[in-house]
Amino acid sequence: MPGPGRAGRRGGGARRPKWFARGGRGATRTQVGIIGAGPAGLTLALLLQRHGIDAVVLESRSRQEIETTLRAGVLEQATVDLMGELGVAERMMRQAQFHGGIEIRFGGRGHRIDFVRLTGGRRIALYAQHEVIKDFVAALLERGGRIEFSVSGVALRDLDGAHPRLSYRAEGGAREIDCDFIAGCDGFHGPSRAAIPEPARTEHGQVLPFSWLGILAQAPLSSPELCYTHSDRGFALLSTRSPEIQRMYIQVDPDDDVAAWPDARIWEELRARTAVGDGGWRLIEGPVVQKGIVDMRAFVCDPMRYGPLFLLGDAAHIVPPTGAKGLNLAVADAQTLAAGLAAHYGSGGDGLLGRYSEICLRRAWRAVRFSMFMTRLLHRDPAHGPMERRVQLAELDYLTSSEAAMASLAENYVGLPLQW
Ligand SMILES: Cc1cc2nc3c(=O)[nH]c(=O)nc-3n(C[C@H](O)[C@H](O)[C@H](O)COP(=O)(O)OP(=O)(O)OC[C@H]3O[C@@H](n4cnc5c(N)ncnc54)[C@H](O)[C@@H]3O)c2cc1C
């Protein structure tokens, strides 16, 4: 990876005061305008700050909202390492649970995939996304970074012209920021991707024929590691938030309603799907404190760059959560863009920035492949007949008995190396 960039070529780089009025239209300016304070936007902001590159983050929700929204929970080793490099890992290292493997359960038997042995010592960390957000926001603000919360009407202007800028409304009225570059980190529904003219982008997408009903339960751990279960009744996942709070999912129909799933029905289904043949294991139950249903989809926008605009994270790609890749992909995009911008403002040239889309798409498609593989392997597809069912069971049998197949799953799950 290139090191921190020197004070910049285009527009004065890090020597420029952080914020200054530009006169004329009265707009402020920054080097990189970031839309969205999710994992992608905050990682990028922290990395740019380290490189001495000016950035401002515009977020439509309040700080309290982004710090309490439940989402992902699995951090790849590389994400953990990056948090350490950025000096934002202190709380995570104390509170996360580190797992050296996962269990794949089917036919009433569990099979451990030993990540540490199969990947030369790599592990995953279980640490909730909103805790990552809390750590990133606190560090960024403490170090003088700028986030504007609760803004509305963010619009990307003049992407084809000489003065790309962001307009928005905040307390006190309408505002504009002139930017050298714009980072679209605003998730699947944000305005960034739509700002790329339709003829200039191709969108690949597939909605899968099942959803996940997820619960948070106040209960001790039932399983020491994540347990991915395939059964005739459908998929189930036992994950964790802390020793006291467990995250569990069951496959449901896409048109299912949470109201049709009282707690007793969820526990009955979880018990049935995760049961083991010898009866030597028991699911530990407890009060359900939160539940909701999420769609399963795969989506990729190609390219991930349009002139001064770069798309990152869910704004560019969505992967089914079975592979636990969404947050980690967002972080990898931010690392790639930060390195490209550091080279641009330093002495490294524009080669890396020019290849941003190609580099990130390669990683995204590999994550889509792995997440679709895990999804097809473990879910009960309503369109499958007896032939496909037997092939699925043979796939599970092969996966859990072949060293090569287990190693392939392990290296993808802990995260492929960042390459550019
Ligand atoms: C319900 C749910 C459950 C998930 N569970 C998992 C999981 O278990 N494992 C996993 O790996 N992944 C999971 N994911 C995916 C993972 O959470 C995402 O991949 C990750 O959040 C992507 O980060 P991001 O920064 O790209 O986008 P986001 O986290 O979506 O952040 C985008 C930010 O942009 C802001 N924004 C949007 N529009 C605007 C606007 N107009 N102006 C300003 N700001 C705007 C949003 O408020 C948000 O804060 C889940 C996603 C969802 C929705």
Side-chain angles (χ1 to χ4, degrees):
M1 270 188 245
R6 287 185 303 157
R9 295 178 300 144
R10 183 173 167 174
R15 268 183 244 135
R16 167 182 287 157
K18 287 267 177 230
W19 278 83
F20 62 99
R22 203 176 133 87
R25 288 178 286 117
T28 50
R29 63 163 282 124
T30 187
Q31 289 171 305
V32 185
I34 300 174
I35 313 172
L42 293 171
T43 306
L44 180 65
L46 282 165
L47 285 164
L48 293 181
Q49 191 177 53
R50 197 175 61 158
H51 287 296
I53 297 170
D54 236 16
V56 60
V57 183
L58 301 181
E59 168 57 53
S60 57
R61 294 183 297 155
S62 68
R63 180 173 180 180
Q64 207 236 341
E65 261 182 286
I66 64 167
E67 291 185 347
T68 49
T69 305
L70 293 180
R71 282 194 165 187
V74 177
L75 308 184
E76 292 176 358
Q77 177 85 56
T79 302
V80 170
D81 294 346
L82 178 71
M83 287 175 71
E85 279 169 42
L86 286 170
V88 291
E90 194 261 331
R91 212 167 59 96
M92 184 262 297
M93 291 306 286
R94 270 191 288 117
Q95 295 183 7
Q97 300 173 64
F98 290 89
H99 290 184
I102 56 169
E103 181 182 334
I104 304 271
R105 197 177 281 188
F106 65 99
R109 280 190 57 205
H111 308 260
R112 181 162 192 262
I113 312 286
D114 186 338
F115 293 163
V116 172
R117 183 177 65 77
L118 292 161
T119 66
R122 295 173 84 74
R123 298 183 297 167
I124 51 165
L126 276 288
Y127 188 63
Q129 179 167 329
H130 65 278
E131 302 294 348
V132 174
I133 298 288
K134 279 186 209 167
D135 296 340
F136 283 16
V137 168
L140 193 60
L141 295 178
E142 207 177 280
R143 297 169 191 178
R146 180 150 174 178
I147 310 173
E148 291 207 45
F149 294 104
S150 306
V151 303
S152 61
V154 173
L156 299 86
R157 311 268 183 212
D158 204 24
L159 294 180
D160 293 310
H163 302 291
R165 60 191 188 279
L166 293 171
S167 64
Y168 61 103
R169 283 185 299 282
E171 214 176 298
R175 298 198 194 157
E176 251 185 25
I177 306 178
D178 291 346
C179 313
D180 293 345
F181 299 102
I182 295 172
C185 306
D186 43 2
F188 187 65
H189 300 288
S192 295
R193 190 176 63 254
I196 302 177
E198 266 182 45
R201 65 182 143 97
T202 304
E203 297 191 350
H204 307 271
Q206 187 178 359
V207 178
L208 300 172
F210 19 75
S211 296
W212 278 12
L213 169 62
I215 61 163
L216 275 184
Q218 272 172 347
L221 285 162
S222 291
S223 161
E225 294 175 332
L226 264 62
C227 177
Y228 286 81
T229 302
H230 167 82
S231 84
D232 283 344
R233 302 169 74 112
F235 168 77
L237 169 61
L238 305 179
S239 181
T240 181
R241 277 288 180 264
S242 70
E244 299 81 28
I245 302 280
Q246 308 314 318
R247 188 86 168 124
M248 305 182 196
Y249 299 93
I250 48 172
Q251 171 187 350
V252 296
D253 292 334
D255 54 1
D256 240 315
D257 188 340
V258 169
W261 286 92
D263 297 356
R265 185 179 173 205
I266 296 173
W267 287 119
E268 185 188 326
E269 204 54 42
L270 272 165
R271 274 195 307 272
R273 293 186 192 188
T274 58
V276 288
D278 63 10
W281 176 89
R282 202 173 58 82
L283 180 71
I284 305 176
E285 300 173 26
V288 174
V289 290
Q290 197 262 350
K291 63 177 126 170
I293 291 182
V294 286
D295 291 341
M296 303 272 284
R297 69 168 73 230
F299 174 86
V300 178
C301 172
D302 183 354
M304 288 171 60
R305 177 184 184 175
Y306 181 73
L309 168 65
F310 294 84
L311 300 181
L312 291 83
D314 280 14
H317 39 67
I318 299 277
V319 289
T322 328
K325 290 277 158 269
L327 181 158
N328 298 289
L329 265 185
V331 168
D333 289 348
Q335 283 179 276
T336 308
L337 183 56
L341 290 169
H344 168 85
Y345 285 115
S347 53
D350 281 346
L352 187 51
L353 219 44
R355 290 193 299 117
Y356 170 80
S357 186
E358 175 198 327
I359 292 166
C360 292
L361 282 172
R362 182 169 183 233
R363 188 174 185 85
W365 278 115
R366 287 172 167 208
V368 170
R369 182 207 72 80
F370 176 65
S371 303
M372 296 289 269
F373 160 75
M374 288 287 281
T375 303
R376 292 200 180 107
L377 179 77
L378 292 160
H379 288 69
R380 179 85 204 256
D381 190 324
H384 279 180
M387 176 73 189
E388 289 101 334
R389 293 275 303 129
R390 292 306 296 263
V391 171
Q392 189 180 26
L393 291 171
E395 180 85 63
L396 281 159
D397 180 22
Y398 168 66
L399 174 73
T400 51
S401 55
S402 154
E403 277 288 296
M406 284 191 281
S408 169
L409 187 150
E411 79 162 346
N412 278 278
Y413 202 103
V414 299
L416 297 172
L418 199 55
Q419 290 171 325
W420 57 63

